[in-house]
Amino acid sequence: MAWLLCFMWLTGCASRGTVPSGPSPATALDSFAEQYVKLVLALGQHDPALVDAYHGPQRWADEAKHASVPLAEVGAHARALHALIESSPVPADPLVAMRRTFLLRQVGAMDARARLLQGEKLSFDEESEALYNARAPTHTEAEFARTLAELEQLLPGQGTLAERLEVFHQGFVIPPEKLRVVFQTAIDEARRRTKQHIPLPDDEAVTLEFVTGQSWGAYNWYKGHNQSVVQINTDLPITISRAIEVGAHESYPGHHVYNVLLEQHLVRERGWVEFTIYPLYSPQSLISEGSATYGPRVVFPDEAAYLREVLFPLAGLPPDRVEPYLRVEALLKKLSYVDNEAARRFLDGRFTREQASDYLIRYRLLTRPQVEKFLLNVTEERTYLINYNLGRDLVADFIERRGGTKDNPNRGWELLRELLSSPRLPGDLIDQHP
């Protein structure tokens, strides 16, 4: 009887009865959406990091905690709900059809996450496909070596390339006493520029905090009602480009704007309750992280000038060093897929921890402390890292193929706003390919 009551709460049967036969597509999707939210809340009782944001009915969160549905039963409900959505008719309205696909993919990811929590083993690529609806391409050491050769030309001197890079970066570290003013200035400017292209509610705001002891470098905690808290981890030295990355990625037009627009356009205007919750290990994360990682390119196309004229002087750094700094940073971004290769081999058991460390030092040029942070994060978040580089590339392709190029920045903003206000998922981006 206890299990039956839990299942009735999870499906919403206790308050509404079972979904009647032949409901309208909108009615069926609304029912599926409520079940999906309750499913994520139930799974979150077994997976504390899963629910990244929730601003739906507090009663549902309280009921999930009280019901404490066993993990195997949460997984069984995920599979049942997935089958229901899959058998439902595809709505004629393209946006509503996109909503149906969103629910289908998100519920499928919850099923996969439940199975993983119960001990099922998947390869790196199988797991990323199951959770994020995407697989990262493979890259060879030869590709990375070509980029490293270019860096060798920019960073001559004694010692290994990783050691020379560390010395180079020391010249661009933001002094601790300047962190708040530099980051807040970048966030404020990103906000000003974003609001010129994307209407935002008058009450939206980002609160900046500095923390320690985290595996990540920065994080956006969306609180609902157009409010975010952005935290910066100060465990390791922070170089100046991170200010622009955080200003754009975590705030404007990144995570904060994405969550604000979903709440405004899909929750408040359409009543789509599925967007009151954000499960971290789901296809939605590829859109969230991909668009946020793409954000600096959109909001700071004049990055060199802005650094030279504003942020470098503010941080007490030499403005005449902006160009060489950005040339090095551009090459380092090309090495981001080293992260995927190291994680893939480490998690698949083809690399020991020491081999992964050596690989990251050799091809990613990380310091030992950075390697430890990386491996801690990968151990906790596993395949999540593909959402950054692969997500960025898919978002860039989606926008640029549709005309949002450097020569037409207004079109780029228009497409980004459309993406951030819709239930699109990775498949919708990939389908843009001929």
Side-chain angles (χ1 to χ4, degrees):
M1 179 61 71
W3 173 85
L4 178 60
L5 291 175
C6 290
F7 186 79
M8 288 175 68
W9 165 74
L10 200 59
T11 60
C13 295
S15 60
R16 292 177 290 100
T18 57
V19 178
S21 60
S24 70
T27 301
L29 288 176
D30 287 344
S31 171
F32 299 153
E34 181 174 332
Q35 292 181 56
Y36 160 73
V37 174
K38 292 181 176 182
L39 169 70
V40 177
L41 290 170
L43 186 56
Q45 301 306 305
H46 304 275
D47 191 0
L50 176 68
V51 181
D52 191 73
Y54 177 62
H55 47 93
Q58 182 59 42
R59 176 172 56 86
W60 291 358
D62 293 341
E63 288 172 346
K65 185 176 181 179
H66 177 74
S68 190
V69 180
L71 180 57
E73 291 165 16
V74 176
H77 178 62
R79 290 186 288 278
L81 180 56
H82 188 275
L84 278 174
I85 300 170
E86 196 167 36
S87 64
S88 68
V90 178
D93 183 319
L95 188 66
V96 181
M98 203 178 292
R99 180 193 187 193
R100 175 185 175 277
T101 300
F102 177 90
L103 287 167
L104 190 66
R105 296 285 179 264
Q106 293 289 109
V107 170
M110 295 307 95
D111 172 31
R113 186 67 180 174
R115 288 187 280 110
L116 289 167
L117 291 173
Q118 291 176 83
E120 182 171 326
K121 302 297 183 184
L122 296 175
S123 70
F124 182 92
D125 290 333
E126 290 169 342
E127 181 178 318
S128 70
E129 178 70 44
L131 295 180
Y132 308 115
N133 192 214
R135 295 188 182 213
T138 57
H139 293 268
T140 67
E141 285 78 5
E143 295 175 64
F144 302 142
R146 287 192 288 272
T147 301
L148 294 175
E150 293 183 66
L151 280 167
E152 288 277 3
Q153 299 299 312
L154 295 178
L155 300 172
Q158 301 298 313
T160 66
L161 182 55
E163 291 169 343
R164 281 176 273 152
L165 177 64
E166 183 178 6
V167 171
F168 177 81
H169 272 155
Q170 288 171 0
F172 300 95
V173 171
I174 305 172
E177 68 275 11
K178 300 287 185 69
L179 282 172
R180 180 167 292 278
V181 66
V182 170
F183 273 88
Q184 192 63 61
T185 298
I187 290 172
D188 290 345
E189 180 62 14
R191 180 177 188 266
R192 184 188 71 81
R193 295 182 180 200
T194 298
K195 290 188 72 172
Q196 291 178 343
H197 300 275
I198 300 178
L200 295 174
D202 292 338
D203 63 347
E204 65 80 23
V206 168
T207 300
L208 180 64
E209 296 179 353
F210 293 90
V211 300
T212 58
Q214 303 297 329
S215 60
W216 38 259
Y219 212 101
N220 175 294
W221 302 98
Y222 188 66
K223 303 299 184 179
H225 306 289
N226 308 318
Q227 305 294 306
S228 286
V229 173
V230 169
Q231 293 183 331
I232 312 298
N233 184 13
T234 60
D235 284 345
L236 299 176
I238 301 174
T239 53
I240 189 68
S241 62
R242 291 289 290 149
I244 279 184
E245 290 173 5
V246 168
H249 183 112
E250 306 295 343
S251 309
Y252 305 90
H255 293 320
H256 174 67
V257 172
Y258 178 54
N259 284 297
V260 166
L261 293 181
L262 290 180
E263 182 175 4
Q264 179 183 5
H265 295 298
L266 301 186
V267 177
R268 297 188 182 183
E269 293 177 7
R270 292 179 173 269
W272 291 0
V273 296
E274 62 268 37
F275 293 98
T276 63
I277 198 162
Y278 170 28
L280 199 64
Y281 309 113
S282 71
Q284 189 177 359
S285 281
L286 188 138
I287 300 297
S288 177
E289 298 294 2
S291 59
T293 307
Y294 182 73
R297 188 187 310 185
V298 179
V299 76
F300 287 111
D302 59 339
E303 181 181 12
Y306 185 69
L307 286 172
R308 184 171 52 251
E309 296 166 12
V310 179
L311 293 189
F312 266 57
L314 203 58
L317 301 177
D320 62 341
R321 297 290 292 157
V322 167
E323 278 72 17
Y325 174 71
L326 288 180
R327 284 197 293 272
V328 169
E329 292 303 293
L331 289 173
L332 291 176
K333 287 177 183 176
K334 292 175 66 175
L335 294 175
S336 70
Y337 276 100
V338 173
D339 299 348
N340 298 17
E341 295 303 326
R344 180 185 279 119
R345 299 178 197 189
F346 177 59
L347 294 175
D348 284 351
R350 292 183 284 134
F351 267 176
T352 64
R353 189 178 186 86
E354 185 164 345
Q355 287 173 319
S357 297
D358 292 343
Y359 188 89
L360 288 162
I361 291 170
R362 179 176 180 181
Y363 292 107
R364 192 65 161 107
L365 305 178
L366 298 186
T367 63
R368 284 288 177 185
Q370 289 172 333
V371 165
E372 289 307 310
K373 285 284 186 184
F374 178 92
L375 292 177
L376 174 61
N377 189 270
V378 162
T379 301
E380 293 177 351
E381 305 298 339
R382 298 182 59 80
T383 57
Y384 190 87
L385 79 174
I386 75 158
N387 295 314
Y388 297 101
N389 45 34
L390 178 61
R392 175 201 61 214
D393 291 347
L394 290 176
V395 169
D397 184 72
F398 172 80
I399 289 176
E400 291 165 13
R401 277 176 172 265
R402 301 176 71 192
T405 61
K406 289 182 179 179
D407 297 332
N408 193 356
N410 287 335
R411 176 62 174 160
W413 276 105
E414 177 187 339
L415 290 165
L416 182 63
R417 181 175 68 248
E418 177 187 324
L419 176 63
L420 298 179
S421 304
S422 72
R424 280 185 173 81
L425 285 180
D428 300 303
L429 305 185
I430 296 169
D431 287 345
Q432 298 302 310
H433 291 273

